[in-house]
Amino acid sequence: MPDWLKDAVFYEIYPQSFYDSNGDGIGDIRGIIAKLDYIKDLGCNALWINPCYDSPFKDAGYDVRDYKKVAPRYGTNEDLYELFDTAHEKGIRVLLDLVPGHTSEEHEWFRASGKAERNEYSDRYIWTDSWIAGIAGHPYIGGECERNGTYMLNFFKCQPALNYGFKDPKYPWQMSYLDEGPVATQEALADIMRFWLDHGCDGFRVDMADSLVKDDDNDKSATCSVWRRIRTMLDEKYPEAALVSEWSNPYQSLNSAGFHMDFYLDHWGNGYNTLLRDYETQGDDDSYFKKDGNGDIERFLNDYIPKYTATEPNGYISFMTCNHDTPRPARTLDEAELKIAYATLLTLPGVPFIYYGDEIGMKYIENIPTKEGGYTRTGSRTPMQWDNSVNCGFSTANADKLYLPVDPESSNEGYDLTVSAQSGRAGSLLNTVKKILAFRHDHSQLEAGAGFKVLLGRKDKPFVFAREDLLIAVNPKETAATGEIGLTGPAKELFSIGRCELNNGVLNMAPQSFAIFEM
Ligand code: GLC
Ligand code: CA
């Protein structure tokens, strides 16, 4: 386990929307370098950068055409190496996004794989043995290549599945995950990882990490064994490198596959549930942190506590404000609600992630046209709002050249969802996040793996938990709340939002309040 994760707080950057350094309307690597001091000052000491590799961008870069080349629209490999170096000088680690399950249909491996003649890449993807074949449960595409077969997809049509084999092959064209072809795919993946690690990257966020071996059993044992091999390679050669999975099953990802962190993110039905979104009704507009909602912390705890207890010796569960696939929390929560929500998220165990712009409460922009396969996700991908100048300070390009439009409300008088407006306002969301993060870094009791115990977790009561000798109390509702926590001895308040008192084990919390006491 890399030691640096204990105190890590990540900032997720969607590179095309963060900061445009050369005025072409698209964010870029040099733009990230220019904003490292902002990120550091915010209190984040690690980055996850969404895919920045060469790509036709039919899925915003998750369709990789060349794993070892930075997309020209973002700059050059040298720019990225410089980002690693500059970030390290400032004490910031950098994770890249690794897309192991599929490539773009324009990747040279795929072009070779689709040739009629057998070659080195024939087994790199999953091909049936006839131009008209396929099996139930998986999407297959035919008619695109000269090879007499159809190929399996992993996500969009542009994303053929790489061949990590099947758990139990049932047809002659299916390979076992232990066969030569699938093992060669694993090697190719390890080679890509070494390439970036050797150039200074600190690890990877792993896309669809559970998707490798097809028709795996329920506990994903074959896919886990693939990751175990990768983890062994890291432990031997890159012990400081960190892996975080898009898996959302920590029993598998942390206990079996060997990931250091796994995102707390459930793709249920149409929804993407996070700590900040409701667990039972899955309503778009529901959250435990809504002041007038019927939020119930028990729903969250019933899901989280068994996962935490079973996996805590092996890795960290990562809460996030949201990500590039989910609605921004400000779609549901207003500024006062967001403060309580973030304070909670940033004091629970594990390694937290802040999605760019959530620290200033950027809006989810409703009903904008889809961009690069974003569909409803597009509204969470608009340009970072730095200041109140043209294009919110994101870019000097004409507005029609921007990757996505800025929040249309940003031209309104008094608009303050920008870094510059909120820097100057005491008590702004941005300054609140800064304060919480500074507090977190100052208190080892809030480290990722430090002790955690729920003291009160019932509906209509404050949510109270301990991190070592710190007691953390949360009341997101618009009504005052009291709770008894069976605690004797003095308690000293160290941090608060709103008014809270703790006397002889009785907690009195003002509406929408949050507090940290030392016991
Ligand atoms: C993951 C990514 C998402 C992408 C998909 C396919 O869910 O987060 O953005 O579209 O995988 O790679
Ligand atoms: Ca640019």
Side-chain angles (χ1 to χ4, degrees), residues 36 243 315 374:
L36 287 172
L243 285 185

Side-chain angles (χ1 to χ4, degrees), residues 20 22 24 26 28:
D20 172 20
N22 62 352
D24 66 357
I26 301 179
D28 44 56

Side-chain angles (χ1 to χ4, degrees), residues 427-452:
S428 66
L429 187 60
L430 176 64
N431 283 327
T432 306
V433 172
K434 274 190 199 177
K435 256 202 204 155
I436 300 162
L437 289 180
F439 186 92
R440 182 181 166 110
H441 294 306
D442 270 356
H443 291 82
S444 60
Q445 300 100 312
L446 295 179
E447 281 179 356
F452 167 66

Side-chain angles (χ1 to χ4, degrees), residues 197-275:
L197 292 167
D198 288 340
H199 280 104
C201 137
D202 298 290
F204 302 92
R205 174 269 185 182
V206 179
D207 185 69
M208 291 175 64
D210 63 337
S211 74
L212 304 194
V213 178
K214 301 307 179 198
D215 297 343
D216 206 350
D217 50 25
N218 284 339
D219 58 14
K220 300 251 171 186
S221 60
T223 299
C224 289
S225 75
V226 173
W227 287 117
R228 267 284 155 204
R229 284 191 57 197
I230 300 275
R231 170 70 187 265
T232 304
M233 184 267 286
L234 292 184
D235 286 351
E236 281 164 10
K237 232 187 135 199
Y238 307 93
E240 288 283 283
L243 285 185
V244 53
S245 50
E246 184 194 33
W247 192 312
S248 291
N249 184 330
Y251 303 106
Q252 296 173 354
S253 56
L254 303 180
N255 287 359
S256 301
F259 281 89
H260 304 106
M261 305 169 268
D262 187 26
F263 287 115
Y264 194 76
L265 166 76
D266 285 307
H267 310 229
W268 291 343
N270 283 328
Y272 284 93
N273 292 277
T274 66
L275 165 64

Side-chain angles (χ1 to χ4, degrees), residues 30 119 348:
R30 304 213 70 84
N119 61 65
L348 281 167

Side-chain angles (χ1 to χ4, degrees), residues 87-109:
H88 292 161
E89 280 162 23
K90 297 178 191 290
I92 298 173
R93 309 273 181 159
V94 184
L95 301 198
L96 295 180
D97 208 317
L98 184 70
V99 189
H102 47 267
T103 66
S104 159
E105 61 198 347
E106 294 185 19
H107 195 291
E108 62 173 29
W109 295 343

Side-chain angles (χ1 to χ4, degrees), residues 59 62 102 155 205 207-208 246 324-325 377 381:
D59 185 16
Y62 283 94
H102 47 267
F155 197 66
R205 174 269 185 182
D207 185 69
M208 291 175 64
E246 184 194 33
H324 62 291
D325 294 327
R377 306 177 293 182
R381 299 175 173 184

